[in-house]
Amino acid sequence: MRQHALVVTDKAERVYHYHANTIHMLSEMMGAAGLSHPSQINADLLMTRDSNGQAVPFSSKEITLAEGVLLGTPELIELLPEPFASHWQLASENHFGVERLVV
């Protein structure tokens, strides 16, 4: 197997150009959408495809929770939509992460 050592100066130049091109393309897309700042980008403007192949805004798939609902009473917790309900049941104050996730 032939391996090549990482040439930091070459890699740094490639990363620099990749980042510069990414920022340039972001500004091009924002200009085409009539936006002047990245903070104006929202889920209504970004598109994805649904299971039928139709383009739909991300906002149609976005699940939001009311502020503080996870700190609420057990009755409120029982009303959580998926996938929050399953994940919340597996959460523990005793450790970080989940033991197993049943989907």
Side-chain angles (χ1 to χ4, degrees), residues 46-69:
L46 301 174
M47 304 297 280
T48 186
R49 297 217 177 256
D50 66 12
S51 58
N52 297 320
Q54 296 296 314
V56 296
F58 270 107
S59 60
S60 69
K61 296 178 172 271
E62 184 178 39
I63 301 171
T64 57
L65 299 176
E67 186 175 335
V69 71

Side-chain angles (χ1 to χ4, degrees), residues 73-81 85:
T73 64
E75 294 79 23
L76 285 176
I77 299 299
E78 289 179 12
L79 300 176
L80 286 174

